[in-house]
């Protein structure tokens, strides 16, 4: 794109600070009319913070934003929308009980007559026109809940353009899409582009970046490291820019001798997955890869007793176990570092100390009472051992950075003596430095004789850290790869079966 | 700039400590003020002993209900429980049962009522607000049925002692019960493993469950204890008035919950202190007592009580949002 097309959006010297983390530091980006701008960066690089500021969900600490050359303070999502900025999040915001047409016109239903009665006919017709203009055949009357994730996404896009979006932000739009669905999304993006809509496209899939974007901005640790035309760069250069260090340093991998089988799962079936079998060995990091909706989270919840198992069996150290609750899983020395640590992992308004001992309150004293000194000693030990950065052990865990919160969750399970640690997306939303620490901690555990199951949708991570990778798709296990066999291509392929 | 550093290190902590502290300061100031303005009657055993007796049955229920509320639930059926217990006690006494047996049966009745609430809220999963509003009507309705809607005399040496007896001939027995219940609940909430579980569940039930805590069990026991304590309160009230009638305890749930909330317990769970509850109900009682002996019209007393509650809770919210802004 050339300058004479004009700058639609300019974000200048944007800074946003959270307790313990500088999420964005002095980041400036420009977006031209009809351009697809890729924003690239590791988890925790600041991509989502930048988007949330643009969408009005976060308020920047400093810097300025210009839309069409006009300085513009975005204070709320509705203000962002009013100025033509639309964000399509990874977790879609569709209303599942309503129809496609209703979703497209939500909040601004078409009305007729003096009493402003909803004009269903006009809405259906107009929705059909919008969908048609995107070259998609989708019935405006179908109920959203029955649609696939990619179709829901299309509805979100239709909703955005029905309100004359000038700037469309897409946050990891292909995370849950198959190859075919991805290609049809790209066709829609091309259509929008030809109409002069500017698109910010966030992804960490390099292949897509090269296929769809005109220009790329790379963020790392909250700073902008490069802005470059896509045709002037290559994958290697982008990876180096993104990671900012040697890939070996980013994903430290130590060889740990693999021991006996500690956990065996045979034909396990529950809600969300079917007929899963695998073995987990001492000292091993077993990766599970799958797209959104592949059943990976249901699987680990079932292993942990939080999802009801319908059939199949689990053996721990060769002994059949019947895990009916997280309490029983804990007693079998299984620990779960869950997907959403704030909702499932931590009591946010309690202190670091209380969270570390949360899964092992029973051992805080002999009788009914808590022995405070014992608890302090335990907490102190884990804070040092895990390198948790906190002013005091009584600090509310809420105010810690994501990486330190994750260490607290991990410490909780180590304190309860877990030997099998299941981590669901352990490095989601934490900065690069903390990620490396988490990887190192995982390997320390393996060296000490534990076994680790790691679910990850981040390809470079799972490829570098896991000893063995299972791939899930639509609730079934579709492949198993050793570290040597696995590659980005075959993992994605097996995940889209 | 050491001050800035201190507040940035521990956001929220400062406000949390002083909320209960401030309440006790307010209490002492009010007490001193009332003693002076209301002299000589306010600060006399003739006034204070009945006040404390009345406070005792409200206080023990408030203490145990605080545990339920910190775990994220609530029990509206306590007033109905009192009414039912009062009628049950009077009815059993009229049948000639011995006093000690009546006490045991009454407390077992409370346990059954509490267990039923707990069953609804944990096993079935009914929201505890709805469940206990429902049982509130049921308990009181049973009370009316047992008593035929009439008040019955309830006199018996054992029952009399509960509300009107004196330990070592000086300490009114309800106050003994009051102190014992507060010490026990304080130890549970602040020093025990079980109390830790209650706070954890109130702060995040999902994370607690996924950390191996038996959430339903802890919540169930809370309701059970609340039922037992409410019927103990019913026994005290019956003894104090020497009458069992189904109207006993009517509207008391709101007074008790006001006191608890005044003491800093959050309705959503996770936040609350036994000492805060103690201060909260003391303030409400002292205020009510003072206004009554000053012959303030009952209508106005209600306005004052309501205003105090709204004012204090608004203050908490303001302090809270200020503490958040510092982050």
């Amino acid at each position: 794109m050339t300058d004479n097309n004009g700058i639609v959006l300019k974000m200048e010297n944007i800074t946003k600070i959270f307790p313990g983390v500088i999420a964005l530091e002095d980041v400036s980006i420009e977006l031209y009319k009809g351009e697809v701008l890729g924003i690239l960066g590791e988890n925790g690089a600041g991509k989502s913070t930048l988007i949330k500021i643009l969408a009005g969900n976060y308020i920047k600490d400093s810097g300025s934003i210009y839309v069409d050359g006009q300085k513009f303070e975005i204070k709320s999502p509705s203000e962002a929308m009013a100025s033509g900025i639309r964000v399509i999040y990874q977790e879609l915001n569709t209303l599942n009980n309503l129809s496609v047409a209703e979703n497209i016109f939500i909040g601004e239903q078409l009305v007729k007559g003096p009493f402003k009665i909803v004009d269903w006919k006009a809405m259906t017709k107009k929705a059909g026109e919008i969908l048609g203009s995107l070259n998609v055949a989708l019935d405006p009357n179908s109920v959203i809940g029955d649609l696939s994730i990619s179709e829901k996404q299309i509805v979100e896009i239709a909703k955005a353009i029905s309100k004359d979006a000038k700037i469309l932000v897409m946050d990891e739009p292909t995370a849950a899409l198959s190859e075919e669905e991805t290609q049809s999304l790209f066709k829609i993006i091309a259509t929008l582009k030809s109409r002069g809509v500017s698109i910010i496209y966030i992804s960490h899939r390099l292949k897509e970046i090269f296929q769809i974007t005109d220009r790329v901005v790379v963020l790392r640790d909250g700073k902008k490291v490069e802005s470059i035309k896509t045709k002037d760069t290559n994958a290697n250069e982008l990876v180096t820019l993104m990671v900012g260090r040697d890939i070996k340093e980013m994903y430290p991998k130590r060889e740990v001798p693999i021991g006996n089988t500690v956990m065996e799962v045979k034909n396990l079936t529950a809600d969300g997955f079917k007929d899963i079998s695998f073995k987990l060995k001492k000292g091993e990091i077993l990766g599970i890869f799958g797209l959104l909706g592949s059943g990976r989270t249901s699987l680990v919840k079932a292993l942990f007793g939080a999802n009801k198992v319908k059939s199949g069996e689990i053996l721990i150290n060769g002994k059949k176990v019947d895990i009916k609750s997280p309490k029983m899983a804990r007693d079998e020395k299984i620990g779960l570092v869950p997907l959403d640590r704030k909702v499932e992992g931590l009591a946010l308004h309690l202190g670091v100390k209380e969270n570390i001992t949360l899964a092992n309150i029973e051992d805080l004293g002999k009788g009914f009472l808590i022995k405070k000194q014992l608890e302090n000693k335990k907490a102190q030990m884990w804070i040092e051992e895990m390198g948790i950065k906190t002013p005091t052990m009584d600090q509310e865990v809420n105010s810690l950075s994501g990486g330190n919160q994750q260490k607290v969750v991990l410490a909780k399970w180590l304190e309860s003596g877990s030997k099998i640690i299941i981590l669901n997306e352990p490095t989601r939303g934490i900065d690069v430095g903390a990620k490396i620490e988490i990887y190192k901690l995982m390997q320390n555990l393996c060296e000490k004789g534990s076994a680790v199951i790691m679910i990850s949708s981040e390809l470079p991570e799972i490829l570098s850290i896991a000893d063995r990778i299972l791939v899930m798709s639509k609730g079934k296990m579709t492949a198993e790869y050793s570290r040597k066999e696995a590659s980005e291509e075959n993992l994605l392929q097996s995940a889209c079966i | 700039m050491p001050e800035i550093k201190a507040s940035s290190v521990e956001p929220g902590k400062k406000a949390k400590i002083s909320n209960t502290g401030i309440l006790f300061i307010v209490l002492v100031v009010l007490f001193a003020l009332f003693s002076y303005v209301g002299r000589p009657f306010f600060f006399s055993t003739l006034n204070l002993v009945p006040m404390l007796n009345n406070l005792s049955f409200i206080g023990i229920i408030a203490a145990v209900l605080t545990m339920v509320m910190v775990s994220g639930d609530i029990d509206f059926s306590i007033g109905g429980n009192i009414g039912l217990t009062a009628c049950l006690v009077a009815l059993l006494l009229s049948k000639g049962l011995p006093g000690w047996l009546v006490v045991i049966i009454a407390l077992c009745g409370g346990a059954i009522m509490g267990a039923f609430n707990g069953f609804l809220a944990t096993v079935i999963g009914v929201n505890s607000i709805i469940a206990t509003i429902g049982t509130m009507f049921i308990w009181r309705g049973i009370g009316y049925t047992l008593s035929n809607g009439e008040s019955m005399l309830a006199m018996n040496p054992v029952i009399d002692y509960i509300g009107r007896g004196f330990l070592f001939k000086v300490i009114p027995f309800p106050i003994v019960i009051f102190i014992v219940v507060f010490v026990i609940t304080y130890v549970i909430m602040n020093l025990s493993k079980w109390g830790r579980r209650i706070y954890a569940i109130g702060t995040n039930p999902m994370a607690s469950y996924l950390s191996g805590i038996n959430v339903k069990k802890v919540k169930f026991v809370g309701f059970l204890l609340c039922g037992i304590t409410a019927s103990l309160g019913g026994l005290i009230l019956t003894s104090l008035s020497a009458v069992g009638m189904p109207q006993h305890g009517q509207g008391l749930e709101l007074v008790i919950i006001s006191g608890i909330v005044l003491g800093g317990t959050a309705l959503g769970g996770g936040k609350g202190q036994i000492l805060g509850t103690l201060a909260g109900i003391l303030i409400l009682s002292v205020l009510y007592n003072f206004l009554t002996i000053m012959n303030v019209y009952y209508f106005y007393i209600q306005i004052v009580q309501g205003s105090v509650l709204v004012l204090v809770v608004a203050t908490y919210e303001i302090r809270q949002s200020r503490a958040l802004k510092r982050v």
Side-chain angles (χ1 to χ4, degrees), chain A residues 230-451:
Chain A
T230 313
K231 62 176 195 292
D232 297 338
T233 183
N234 58 52
N236 276 341
E237 187 185 8
L238 287 184
V239 169
T240 316
L241 286 170
M242 235 163 88
V243 177
R245 58 194 97 193
D246 203 337
I247 201 102
K248 275 188 189 135
E249 193 189 321
M250 176 69 203
Y251 301 109
K253 180 69 187 171
R254 275 168 281 166
E255 290 306 324
V256 175
I258 308 281
N260 298 331
T261 301
V262 290
M263 184 190 225
E264 187 174 359
V265 173
K266 284 184 188 167
N267 308 99
L268 202 68
T269 299
D271 266 342
F273 65 90
K274 217 160 76 185
D275 207 18
I276 302 280
S277 302
F278 65 86
K279 283 180 185 173
L280 174 69
K281 291 177 175 144
K282 191 176 164 182
E284 181 182 49
I285 297 178
L286 175 66
I288 299 181
F289 180 77
L291 305 176
L292 257 175
S294 62
R296 50 200 181 152
T297 297
S298 307
L299 172 65
V300 292
K301 284 205 164 165
L303 295 178
F304 194 64
N307 246 7
K308 211 173 167 189
V309 172
K310 283 182 183 153
S311 65
E313 51 188 44
I314 302 171
L315 287 85
I316 302 230
N317 295 321
K319 199 181 90 221
K320 193 178 173 232
V321 291
D322 190 11
I323 298 171
K324 286 195 184 120
S325 68
K327 189 175 189 305
M328 291 166 89
R330 180 198 63 191
D331 294 342
E332 294 291 345
K333 305 292 175 208
I334 302 173
L336 172 68
V337 178
L339 184 61
D340 188 340
R341 62 181 162 269
K342 293 188 174 183
V343 177
E344 302 173 315
L346 296 165
L348 283 178
H349 297 292
L350 294 184
V352 171
K353 175 175 78 182
E354 285 86 352
N355 274 284
I356 288 176
T357 57
L358 189 63
N360 200 23
I361 294 174
E362 206 41 55
D363 279 359
L364 289 179
K366 273 191 187 127
F368 186 71
L369 300 183
I370 290 174
K371 224 173 151 190
K372 296 219 157 156
Q373 284 151 307
L374 180 68
E375 180 171 31
N376 289 345
K377 220 174 85 190
K378 285 178 175 216
Q380 191 58 43
M381 183 191 92
W382 289 115
I383 288 170
E384 280 165 21
E385 170 105 16
M386 312 286 285
I388 298 166
K389 286 184 204 82
T390 175
T392 69
M393 65 174 77
D394 295 315
Q395 177 80 7
E396 257 191 37
V397 94
N398 196 20
S399 64
L400 263 50
S401 70
N404 282 302
Q405 290 182 346
Q406 197 68 305
K407 288 186 204 167
V408 172
V409 179
L410 202 48
K412 172 177 82 177
W413 291 113
L414 300 183
E415 163 58 26
S416 84
S418 298
K419 289 288 173 203
I420 297 170
I421 312 266
I422 306 170
L423 302 105
N424 197 351
E425 301 279 4
T427 60
R428 192 192 241 201
I430 65 182
D431 61 64
V432 182
K435 268 181 164 181
I436 298 173
E437 286 184 68
I438 299 276
Y439 299 142
K440 285 185 178 157
L441 287 170
M442 282 163 62
Q443 307 200 38
N444 286 349
L445 293 179
C446 289
E447 279 176 354
K448 286 180 187 159
S450 295

Side-chain angles (χ1 to χ4, degrees), chain A residues 19 304 306 326-327 330 342-344 346 349 354 357-359 361-362 365 367-370 375 395 412-413, chain B residues 9-11 13 187-188 190-194 196-197 199-200 203-204 206-207 209-214 327:
Chain A
F304 194 64
K327 189 175 189 305
R330 180 198 63 191
K342 293 188 174 183
V343 177
E344 302 173 315
L346 296 165
H349 297 292
E354 285 86 352
T357 57
L358 189 63
I361 294 174
E362 206 41 55
F368 186 71
L369 300 183
I370 290 174
E375 180 171 31
Q395 177 80 7
K412 172 177 82 177
W413 291 113
Chain B
V9 168
E10 292 211 64
K13 195 86 187 172
V187 169
I188 289 174
N190 292 53
L191 307 173
S192 80
K193 296 174 185 174
W194 184 28
R196 173 65 59 77
R197 294 190 182 104
Y199 278 105
T203 310
N204 188 341
M206 183 49 113
Y209 169 68
L210 289 175
S211 298
I213 294 175
N214 193 337
V327 173

Side-chain angles (χ1 to χ4, degrees), chain B residues 83-84 87 139-150 246-247 250:
Chain B
L84 171 51
C87 293
W139 306 156
R140 197 171 299 287
I142 297 174
Y144 274 103
T145 312
L146 288 179
S147 65
N148 241 337
E150 287 162 9
Q247 293 90 343
Q250 191 132 36

Side-chain angles (χ1 to χ4, degrees), chain B residues 206-241:
Chain B
M206 183 49 113
S208 302
Y209 169 68
L210 289 175
S211 298
I213 294 175
N214 193 337
V215 175
K216 288 184 175 177
K217 183 171 140 194
V218 173
K219 284 184 171 230
F220 182 88
V221 173
F223 281 108
L224 179 74
L225 290 184
C226 199
I228 296 172
T229 315
S231 61
L232 180 58
L235 276 167
I236 298 174
L237 181 57
T238 310
S239 170
L240 281 170
S241 59

Side-chain angles (χ1 to χ4, degrees), chain A residues 25 37 42 72 77 86-87 110 127 157 188 317 321 395 416:
Chain A
E25 196 180 342
L37 172 68
E42 291 276 316
F72 183 56
R86 290 281 159 170
V87 181
L110 303 177
I157 295 171
I188 292 173
N317 295 321
V321 291
Q395 177 80 7
S416 84

